[in-house]
Amino acid sequence: MDDSINYLLRGVQQEDRIALSRAITLVESKHPSHQKQAEELLEAILPKTGNSFRLGITGVPGVGKSTFIDAFGSYLTALGKKVAVLSIDPSSTRTKGSILGDKTRMERLSRNPSAFVRPSPSANQLGGVAQKTRESILLCEAAGYDVVIVETVGVGQSETAVHDMVDFFLLLMLSGGGDELQGIKRGIMEMADMILINKVDGENMKAGARAKKEYKRAVHLFPENEKGWNIPVETVSSTESRGLSTCWNHMTVYLEKVQGNGYLEKSRSEQTLAWFREALRQKLEQDFYEKYGANGEINRIIDAIRNGSLSIRSAISNLLKE
Amino acid sequence: MDDSINYLLRGVQQEDRIALSRAITLVESKHPSHQKQAEELLEAILPKTGNSFRLGITGVPGVGKSTFIDAFGSYLTALGKKVAVLSIDPSSTRTKGSILGDKTRMERLSRNPSAFVRPSPSANQLGGVAQKTRESILLCEAAGYDVVIVETVGVGQSETAVHDMVDFFLLLMLSGGGDELQGIKRGIMEMADMILINKVDGENMKAGARAKKEYKRAVHLFPENEKGWNIPVETVSSTESRGLSTCWNHMTVYLEKVQGNGYLEKSRSEQTLAWFREALRQKLEQDFYEKYGANGEINRIIDAIRNGSLSIRSAISNLLKE
């Protein structure tokens, strides 16, 4: 292990935020020499990982994810917790996420010494982003963070990716007003471990209470989940910091339950395995293109496929015969 | 090419539904010898493909997809079109799709000599299902079908898969009543080439008109799409067969437009390329597991990953070093 990695490793273990930030940058880098270093670093911190509560947060744009995380994260630090915030942004080509930087988005939390707010990784393939985010979770854990929040940014396919890397998946919703547009797929609702109706303050109090009732009824109709957990539905005001303790209470009850019945361990083990398979898939593909992309073979085949003179099956069986 | 493939090829080209059905079964088979035959068959029909209008249809369970396809397909056959209906069912482990067979679900169309209704493929990995469905589209085209409808069954990630294999993506919605639950992600709405509010009949007429207005307003706010197509919003009654001609009119206008401006050709070429990349990815993974799965190497590595003694990055670089 070279000196610079040793330095990063010590820094992360000493809970130094700048070292943590640089470690995440290293893990995100695509440069081959950085990748080798990242591998060493990740292997070295492995024994120090796994001790955080991994919390995923999703919701449509405008639901107030950043404001909620700012308030909830500050609440947790006041309880003595160290809180890290990562975000995952597949940067869908169809719809862009927030154009504001994360620092601006979570003002209180960014200035909090017990918190670490990491700006979104730049545009990339979803799979790749998810891998880096998983590794960033591990780095935050090695740096002693008690709660690692992973937020979905933008609209896209990131909900499933986040769900598959966290212990608890929180869905933020709004009450009333243009429900067709705030629509979240039922599949996403069924993934949630808690539904939180945000912005229930001021003129929204009545609509919030009504929405809570409706979602409770809806949730009641969901098929039973394997963890035997009844999905709580609560209202919250992020701007007035109301409802945050109720929210955290549900999470601690959940955590005790899944730690007690072995579900947490089982679930994390399955997540890790799926992560391995995905990473392997990406590496195999990358190696293949590096090997065959150089001599133009693939481009010739792609041209033949495009002009309709070669079927996909034949193309692949020809390519892999060699 | 052996006799049985020759027989299937002739059958498909003579527009024989039984041969078409058997050809699709061959394509879906995972048996190695069948895969070789399927490759030959697909290569042989390639010049006869590409001449259908590929129509994807999605919407939440209960929106009436089958009833709509039954009505719309029957309308198209009355215009002299040959209509094929395929469905894609990733069989999400979280939520199951319809438990009724497709034959029962589309009663009129199934008995129609100008129509071909193919039951859903059995549970499988989504990627695999999507590949087979793409190949089934080609077979239907070789068998002379003018419109090939691909329907999403169940809830899951299949919308994007279907969107990426069709020329026109139709989203069915309901008017009023529990909009939070019928919620479709905004990203899906933005993928749609037309939004159709179904079940606008009887007591639903007023709510349907209101929903139409709301969706029109919503659609108006979407970012402009690259094809320069304004997404129509219409109401339809599948049980009363009302609104079907308006729906078809929009599609023919669309088709003329994208054929004229080159978008259709470009889009299909991109779809084919993405399909090739996905198929290659799957094949690489499959070959890898076949090669290393046998000697238990992978299982040893998986155990080490699971008990936290090996990082994913190290696991993969060790595996691929050999």
Side-chain angles (χ1 to χ4, degrees):
Chain A
M1 189 178 296
D2 68 24
D3 281 355
S4 65
I5 298 306
N6 235 319
Y7 174 83
L8 274 188
L9 175 61
R10 271 205 317 276
V12 166
Q13 288 176 339
Q14 284 161 9
E15 315 195 350
D16 169 1
R17 288 196 293 182
I18 293 168
L20 174 59
S21 192
R22 285 185 46 207
I24 293 179
T25 303
L26 179 71
V27 155
E28 285 174 352
S29 168
K30 290 185 156 183
H31 194 285
S33 75
H34 292 168
Q35 290 192 2
K36 187 70 203 146
Q37 291 179 321
E39 183 182 327
E40 286 180 32
L41 180 62
L42 289 164
E43 187 73 22
I45 58 146
L46 201 56
K48 301 258 287 175
T49 63
N51 296 320
S52 83
F53 178 55
R54 302 170 182 171
L55 170 62
I57 298 185
T58 194
V60 294
V63 77
K65 287 193 292 290
S66 307
T67 320
F68 172 75
I69 293 170
D70 204 24
F72 189 59
S74 304
Y75 167 82
L76 292 176
T77 59
L79 293 183
K81 306 279 178 198
K82 286 185 66 184
V83 177
V85 182
L86 306 170
S87 43
I88 184 164
D89 184 0
S91 295
S92 151
T93 49
R94 291 198 183 90
T95 321
K96 289 290 173 195
S98 168
I99 49 165
L100 297 168
D102 298 276
K103 297 276 178 193
T104 331
R105 296 197 297 118
M106 293 167 207
E107 246 180 282
R108 273 167 75 196
L109 208 57
S110 302
R111 286 182 276 105
N112 189 322
S114 297
F116 174 78
V117 178
R118 172 78 184 181
S120 306
S122 55
N124 202 327
Q125 189 215 353
L126 174 59
V129 172
Q131 307 284 7
K132 313 293 190 209
T133 308
R134 282 174 177 280
E135 292 174 338
S136 301
I137 294 175
L138 299 180
L139 289 167
C140 292
E141 289 178 341
Y145 285 88
D146 305 297
V147 179
V148 180
I149 297 176
V150 182
E151 171 207 20
T152 63
V153 175
V155 197
Q157 306 296 311
S158 57
E159 290 92 349
T160 312
V162 171
H163 175 267
D164 291 349
M165 69 176 75
V166 297
D167 303 323
F168 192 95
F169 193 59
L170 173 64
L171 173 61
L172 291 188
M173 296 291 266
L174 291 174
S175 53
D179 280 327
E180 301 88 352
L181 273 187
Q182 83 159 104
I184 279 275
K185 276 201 309 182
R186 194 181 164 129
I188 306 265
M189 282 186 69
E190 290 181 12
M191 277 198 262
D193 296 304
M194 174 154 68
I195 292 173
L196 217 51
I197 303 155
N198 195 19
K199 301 190 185 176
V200 180
D201 38 39
E203 291 177 356
N204 251 331
M205 299 297 285
K206 241 177 147 174
R210 208 165 44 234
K212 180 173 169 173
K213 237 190 225 163
E214 278 172 23
Y215 284 120
K216 264 187 186 270
R217 204 165 39 226
V219 156
H220 195 68
L221 298 170
F222 286 178
E224 210 181 323
N225 54 40
E226 56 168 325
K227 19 190 171 177
W229 173 250
N230 293 317
I231 303 168
V233 179
E234 299 289 353
T235 58
V236 74
S237 165
S238 302
T239 50
E240 298 175 4
S241 294
R242 200 161 10 80
L244 303 176
S245 61
T246 310
C247 175
W248 179 239
N249 280 345
H250 282 300
M251 291 179 190
T252 48
V253 168
Y254 177 87
L255 198 54
E256 269 172 37
K257 177 165 181 146
V258 294
Q259 273 172 333
N261 65 15
Y263 179 84
L264 184 70
E265 198 187 0
K266 178 170 154 276
S267 155
R268 283 194 173 178
S269 168
E270 281 168 10
Q271 288 178 337
T272 307
L273 194 58
W275 172 17
F276 163 68
R277 290 195 193 279
E278 178 56 30
L280 178 60
R281 195 153 40 226
Q282 287 182 22
K283 185 75 176 104
L284 287 170
E285 187 184 16
Q286 188 189 329
D287 285 359
F288 184 86
Y289 282 106
E290 273 168 19
K291 197 167 156 194
Y292 294 97
N295 62 12
E297 169 88 13
I298 288 202
N299 288 336
R300 274 191 300 276
I301 281 175
I302 284 174
D303 285 344
I305 290 169
R306 280 197 134 142
N307 67 31
S309 65
L310 183 67
S311 77
I312 307 257
R313 287 216 190 199
S314 298
I316 288 171
S317 74
N318 288 345
L319 264 174
L320 296 184
K321 217 173 272 163
E322 295 159 31
Chain B
M1 190 178 293
D2 69 22
D3 281 357
S4 64
I5 298 306
N6 234 320
Y7 174 83
L8 273 188
L9 175 62
R10 271 206 318 275
V12 167
Q13 288 176 337
Q14 285 160 10
E15 314 195 351
D16 169 0
R17 289 197 291 182
I18 292 168
L20 174 59
S21 193
R22 285 185 49 206
I24 293 179
T25 303
L26 179 71
V27 156
E28 285 173 354
S29 168
K30 291 186 156 184
H31 195 286
S33 73
H34 291 167
Q35 290 192 1
K36 187 69 205 147
Q37 290 178 322
E39 183 184 325
E40 286 180 32
L41 180 62
L42 288 165
E43 187 73 24
I45 59 146
L46 202 57
K48 299 259 286 177
T49 62
N51 297 318
S52 84
F53 178 55
R54 302 169 182 173
L55 170 62
I57 298 184
T58 194
V60 295
V63 76
K65 288 192 292 289
S66 307
T67 319
F68 172 75
I69 293 170
D70 205 23
F72 188 59
S74 303
Y75 166 82
L76 291 176
T77 58
L79 294 183
K81 307 278 176 196
K82 286 185 67 184
V83 176
V85 181
L86 306 170
S87 42
I88 185 163
D89 184 0
S91 296
S92 151
T93 49
R94 292 198 182 90
T95 322
K96 289 291 175 195
S98 169
I99 49 165
L100 297 168
D102 298 277
K103 296 277 179 193
T104 331
R105 294 196 298 119
M106 293 168 206
E107 245 180 282
R108 272 167 75 196
L109 208 56
S110 303
R111 284 182 276 106
N112 188 323
S114 299
F116 173 78
V117 178
R118 173 77 183 180
S120 305
S122 55
N124 202 326
Q125 191 216 352
L126 173 60
V129 172
Q131 306 284 8
K132 313 293 189 210
T133 308
R134 282 175 179 280
E135 292 173 339
S136 301
I137 293 176
L138 299 180
L139 288 168
C140 291
E141 289 178 342
Y145 285 88
D146 305 297
V147 179
V148 180
I149 296 175
V150 182
E151 171 206 21
T152 64
V153 175
V155 196
Q157 306 296 314
S158 57
E159 290 91 350
T160 312
V162 171
H163 174 266
D164 292 348
M165 68 176 76
V166 297
D167 304 322
F168 192 94
F169 193 60
L170 174 64
L171 173 61
L172 293 188
M173 296 290 267
L174 291 175
S175 53
D179 280 327
E180 300 88 352
L181 273 187
Q182 82 158 103
I184 278 274
K185 276 201 307 183
R186 192 177 165 134
I188 306 265
M189 281 186 70
E190 290 181 10
M191 276 197 264
D193 296 303
M194 173 154 67
I195 292 173
L196 217 50
I197 304 155
N198 195 20
K199 300 190 186 177
V200 180
D201 38 40
E203 292 176 356
N204 252 330
M205 299 297 284
K206 241 177 148 173
R210 205 163 46 234
K212 179 173 170 173
K213 238 191 224 162
E214 280 171 22
Y215 284 121
K216 262 188 187 270
R217 202 163 41 224
V219 155
H220 195 67
L221 298 170
F222 287 179
E224 209 181 326
N225 54 41
E226 54 168 328
K227 19 189 171 176
W229 172 249
N230 293 317
I231 303 167
V233 178
E234 299 289 352
T235 58
V236 72
S237 164
S238 301
T239 50
E240 296 175 4
S241 294
R242 202 161 9 81
L244 303 176
S245 61
T246 310
C247 175
W248 179 238
N249 280 345
H250 283 300
M251 292 178 189
T252 48
V253 168
Y254 177 88
L255 197 55
E256 268 172 38
K257 176 165 182 145
V258 294
Q259 273 173 334
N261 64 14
Y263 179 85
L264 184 69
E265 198 186 0
K266 177 169 156 275
S267 154
R268 283 192 174 182
S269 169
E270 281 168 10
Q271 288 178 337
T272 307
L273 194 58
W275 172 17
F276 163 68
R277 290 194 191 279
E278 176 57 29
L280 178 59
R281 195 154 40 227
Q282 286 181 24
K283 185 75 175 107
L284 287 170
E285 187 183 18
Q286 187 189 330
D287 285 359
F288 183 86
Y289 282 105
E290 272 168 20
K291 197 167 157 195
Y292 294 97
N295 62 11
E297 169 89 11
I298 287 202
N299 288 336
R300 274 191 300 276
I301 281 175
I302 284 174
D303 285 345
I305 290 170
R306 281 196 134 142
N307 67 33
S309 63
L310 183 67
S311 76
I312 307 257
R313 286 217 190 197
S314 300
I316 287 171
S317 74
N318 288 346
L319 263 174
L320 296 185
K321 216 173 273 165
E322 294 159 33

